Amino acid sequence: MDNLQAIMPMLIVTLAAMATMLAEAFRRKDERMPIGGLGVIGLVGAIAAAGLLWDRNAVGFGVIQADNFSLFVTVVVAVIGLFTIMFSSEVVEREGIPSGEYYTLTLFSVVGMMMMASATDLLVIFIALEIMSIAVYVLTGIKRTDAAGTEASFKYFLLGSFSSAFFLYGIAFSYAVSGSTRLDALSTAIAQSASAPGPMVWLAMGLLLVGFAFKVSAVPFHMWTPDAYEGAPTVVTGFMSTGVKAAAVAAFLRVFLSAFEPLRGDWTQLLTWIAMLTMVVGTVVGVAQTNVKRMLAYSSIAHAGYLLAGIIAASAIGKSAVLFYLASYAVANVGAFGVIAFIATRERNTGELTDFTGLWYAKPMLAVLMAVFLLSLGGFPPMAGFIAKWYIFAAAVNEGFYTLAIVGVLTSVVSVFFYLRIVVMMFMSSNKAELEVPPFGIVGTLGLALAAIATFYLGILPTRLIDLATQSISTIF
Amino acid sequence: MDLSLFYLFGALTVAASFFVIAQRNPMHSVILLIASFIGLAGLYVLLDAPFTAVTQIIVYAGAIMVLFLFVVMLLNAPREDPPVVDPRRPLLSAGPRRIGGVLSLVFLAEIVWAFSRVPTTAMNDAPGIGDRVSSVAAIGLEIFTTHTFAFEATSVLILVAMVGAVVLARKNL
């Protein structure tokens, strides 16, 4: 019974995904069915299950650890899934996306993310990574008539399988080191030889690092990000830029701070360079973009750099800062992509910067919401992004990573430029006649409103979530 | 005897894999891939893992490669075009592409260095090497005790892959 308890959140979402699949199969040809609703039920159920499991530290099958850390990430991922489903309801119909398959794959991807965050066995982490990734590859190309989407999907798939190969090779070397794929066994084996780690250990660590860096889109493994984010349907981009990143960061944190903890001094040096490069490249290249989806793709690369900075400065504050950052980045980013999806029409759906010209005059509410999300991503005070960034940089300074903190602050100042550029476009160009925004329904509006409220709530009253994050991280590392 | 067999199968695997990517004709690539899989199966036998070797032959060299061949034949895939230089994508032109080649050579050098640093005795008593991998019963026991969850999770993975394949391949859009 204990086993099943620990996997309950992902089990519930798996069942919801299967129910969605069956609902689509039994749907008559023209029958309308609120298929997304099944997903909502499953995700809410998963959140409830995670709440019940809090502080219980259940272990399932020896490889799934339902500690507070994984439950925190589980809830974040489930919330991302909920927002995605809410934003999708109209978009799916407008773009002619097969709805049953769309929701099924989204839910299965969420299952993979939850599993990835809670697995303590490299083999299971790999399977979870593949469940998540394969579903996302297909979601990227789910609009088969769209050439850009198909191209993006194919690129993402090829590069993704390449990175999976690196990750697997890393697992093979870890097995050679410890004779097991369990993280605790690996940790013991590495701790024994920590003074003079053999070449196998370095290879294992390096290859696993490449695999994770690819999934969180850290430079120099970020090449796929702009293309995949631009080509995918906008709601899917919102989903994968937040969910995939959250799950990958969670697994990254667990593997490197538990199994490779004895070698921390060594990998932080390497990771510091990667993090700084990631922040700089994401910001500098992002400034030059004219497509909002591409711009946000580079912004999400830069955010990966900030998250890595939190992992490097892994004091108690740093680790809870990473979790808080994940949550606040998720609500703002998923909301921003939601707005982009809402102002698109069937013909005009590439998210060009010019599409936002004078949005304030056409749809004031949407413009205000978009501004809230963008300013939060840029790190402006009343919004969640400010607290999150401040927390990460404070942790970096406390641990003595001054260069890292300085690069981080400078790049976030520069990044404000491209977030503000969209805001200026929306409010200050009075190009009223051009823009026509399709009507959108109550569910999507509710979703956007909730995302905005969450952004403000986390920015103004962050203590509650920070406490939860601190609690959840303290149980494991 | 064992050592010469190892070199034989190893050379077969490496050479065949190299020519898989060096061919312009997809049909030849597929046939060479079968040769590479057979070499791998030989290596598994030498490692006292007959079950893995047989699975490798039946599943990969047999079933999966037949599928590959059918796909290649059905698509009637022509010879691959020689690389074109696209001025809009400077990273794909010949010069920068060599960086990829150089990087893979560096990686090869790293691996060779790592293995040359590991003493052979350590290889022999490395954890995980023992007779428990050899018997089918032991493998079954491992799968359904230690790796139950991974085994069950794989079924979800396969389900996702099936749904994905159907979505991407079905006729009516």
Side-chain angles (χ1 to χ4, degrees):
Chain A
M1 221 27 227
D2 233 27
N3 285 340
L4 287 180
Q5 254 180 23
I7 64 165
M8 200 44 90
M10 57 193 100
L11 196 62
I12 293 174
V13 183
T14 311
L15 289 177
M18 287 176 179
T20 320
M21 209 158 69
L22 289 177
E24 170 69 16
F26 285 104
R27 189 170 67 106
R28 277 190 302 278
K29 194 139 179 57
D30 302 315
E31 192 182 352
R32 290 169 61 88
M33 207 185 248
I35 293 181
L38 288 170
V40 171
I41 294 173
L43 290 171
V44 171
I47 294 175
L52 290 174
L53 283 170
W54 193 264
D55 272 339
R56 290 224 195 148
N57 221 354
V59 180
F61 303 96
V63 292
I64 293 291
Q65 189 101 38
D67 48 30
N68 290 354
F69 170 73
S70 57
L71 293 174
F72 187 94
V73 181
T74 296
V75 172
V76 169
V77 168
V79 168
I80 293 169
L82 278 177
F83 278 130
T84 308
I85 289 178
M86 287 173 115
F87 297 151
S88 301
S89 52
E90 287 113 39
V91 178
V92 162
E93 213 165 297
R94 184 183 75 211
E95 307 263 330
I97 293 170
S99 63
E101 289 85 345
Y102 174 83
Y103 290 119
T104 308
L105 287 171
T106 310
L107 290 172
F108 272 131
S109 185
V110 170
V111 173
M113 292 166 190
M114 291 174 173
M115 201 187 287
M116 204 169 158
S118 35
T120 54
D121 182 312
L122 285 170
L123 198 62
V124 178
I125 294 183
F126 177 72
I127 292 171
L129 180 101
E130 288 301 306
I131 294 175
M132 166 182 92
S133 306
I134 288 182
V136 172
Y137 301 148
V138 179
L139 284 174
T140 305
I142 200 161
K143 263 172 66 190
R144 284 179 44 213
T145 44
D146 181 27
T150 314
E151 186 193 333
S153 164
F154 200 64
K155 273 183 185 163
Y156 192 12
F157 170 67
L158 281 182
L159 290 176
S161 17
F162 201 58
S163 83
S164 294
F166 277 95
F167 193 79
L168 260 185
Y169 209 17
I171 297 179
F173 280 113
S174 312
Y175 187 79
V177 169
S178 66
S180 163
T181 49
R182 301 272 159 98
L183 289 180
D184 45 2
L186 186 58
S187 159
T188 327
I190 291 176
Q192 275 166 6
S193 65
S195 50
M200 292 282 197
V201 177
W202 294 123
L203 276 177
M205 197 180 84
L207 291 166
L208 289 176
L209 185 70
V210 170
F212 281 125
F214 179 90
K215 282 294 162 202
V216 301
S217 58
V219 177
F221 310 103
H222 66 292
M223 292 299 188
W224 58 276
T225 317
D227 286 337
Y229 283 15
E230 188 187 2
T234 311
V235 271
V236 175
T237 313
F239 177 65
M240 67 191 196
S241 65
T242 50
V244 173
K245 197 159 287 195
V249 166
F252 199 161
L253 200 72
R254 196 189 282 274
V255 171
F256 275 77
L257 288 176
S258 62
F260 291 103
E261 167 73 28
L263 302 174
R264 218 178 112 196
D266 299 294
W267 60 255
T268 41
Q269 285 175 14
L270 185 62
L271 211 56
T272 308
W273 281 105
I274 294 182
M276 290 198 290
L277 260 180
T278 307
M279 294 179 206
V280 171
V281 170
T283 315
V284 172
V285 186
V287 168
Q289 303 305 316
T290 56
N291 180 297
V292 178
K293 279 166 84 176
R294 241 184 138 72
M295 191 184 285
L296 285 179
Y298 280 104
S299 121
S300 97
I301 294 175
H303 283 284
Y306 304 134
L307 284 163
L308 290 183
I311 297 183
I312 294 164
S315 57
I317 309 176
K319 282 178 276 194
S320 59
V322 171
L323 288 182
F324 184 79
Y325 200 102
L326 275 180
S328 60
Y329 163 77
V331 284
N333 214 42
V334 89
F337 278 107
V339 175
I340 304 176
F342 281 151
I343 70 159
T345 59
R346 215 184 147 82
E347 294 75 35
R348 178 175 56 78
N349 55 11
T350 51
E352 288 303 319
L353 188 56
T354 45
D355 293 352
F356 286 84
T357 319
L359 184 64
W360 165 251
Y361 300 98
K363 290 271 171 187
M365 265 325 280
L366 273 184
V368 169
L369 287 172
M370 185 69 176
V372 167
F373 298 136
L374 288 175
L375 293 179
S376 175
L377 286 174
F380 271 79
M383 269 71 91
F386 168 71
I387 302 280
K389 272 189 182 152
W390 178 77
Y391 218 38
I392 292 251
F393 296 145
V397 169
N398 270 342
E399 293 291 297
F401 294 96
Y402 297 112
T403 336
L404 191 67
I406 291 170
V407 172
V409 172
L410 286 181
T411 49
S412 36
V413 170
V414 176
S415 74
V416 167
F417 168 77
F418 58 76
Y419 297 121
L420 275 185
R421 200 160 97 186
I422 307 177
V423 177
V424 168
M425 273 286 202
M426 290 191 300
F427 289 90
M428 295 179 189
S429 343
S430 53
N431 193 356
K432 295 175 208 174
E434 292 288 312
L435 198 73
E436 99 190 43
V437 176
F440 47 92
I442 181 83
V443 186
T445 321
L446 185 68
L448 280 182
L450 285 176
I453 291 170
T455 309
F456 274 115
Y457 174 74
L458 295 183
I460 297 166
L461 298 164
T463 358
R464 173 123 182 80
L465 194 75
I466 288 177
D467 283 348
L468 282 179
T470 316
Q471 265 181 44
S472 66
I473 206 89
S474 65
T475 51
I476 48 166
F477 304 118
Chain B
M1 179 64 189
D2 259 14
L3 196 65
S4 51
L5 273 178
F6 168 77
Y7 280 119
L8 177 73
F9 284 123
L12 175 67
T13 313
V14 172
S17 315
F18 177 76
F19 284 112
V20 167
I21 53 171
Q23 291 299 316
R24 290 226 180 279
N25 187 329
M27 202 60 128
H28 294 170
S29 292
V30 173
I31 308 259
L32 281 165
L33 197 54
I34 297 180
S36 152
F37 283 161
I38 289 174
L40 264 185
L43 291 178
Y44 290 150
V45 172
L46 292 181
L47 285 172
D48 277 336
F51 180 73
T52 321
V54 171
T55 323
Q56 173 79 12
I57 299 267
I58 294 176
V59 177
Y60 284 92
I64 290 185
M65 293 322 289
V66 169
L67 277 180
F68 261 46
L69 274 179
F70 265 116
V71 171
V72 172
M73 284 196 249
L74 282 177
L75 285 176
N76 205 4
R79 288 166 61 85
E80 188 188 328
D81 295 327
V84 271
V85 178
D86 185 348
R88 286 170 305 155
R89 299 219 159 91
L91 281 178
L92 289 180
S93 58
R97 261 208 311 202
R98 289 202 188 104
I99 297 174
V102 171
L103 281 178
S104 56
L105 285 180
V106 170
F107 185 54
L108 181 69
E110 275 172 20
I111 301 267
V112 170
W113 167 80
F115 277 105
S116 66
R117 289 275 304 272
V118 179
T120 27
T121 48
M123 292 263 193
N124 289 334
D125 4 297
I129 297 199
D131 52 357
R132 63 200 170 99
V133 278
S134 57
S135 86
V136 180
I139 291 175
L141 213 58
E142 275 284 294
I143 287 182
F144 291 105
T145 55
T146 327
H147 297 295
T148 332
F149 186 78
F151 179 76
E152 296 296 338
T154 311
S155 61
V156 176
L157 175 60
I158 294 172
L159 185 61
V160 172
M162 276 197 308
V163 174
V166 170
V167 171
L168 291 181
R170 69 172 185 186
K171 265 225 169 73
N172 55 332
L173 288 167

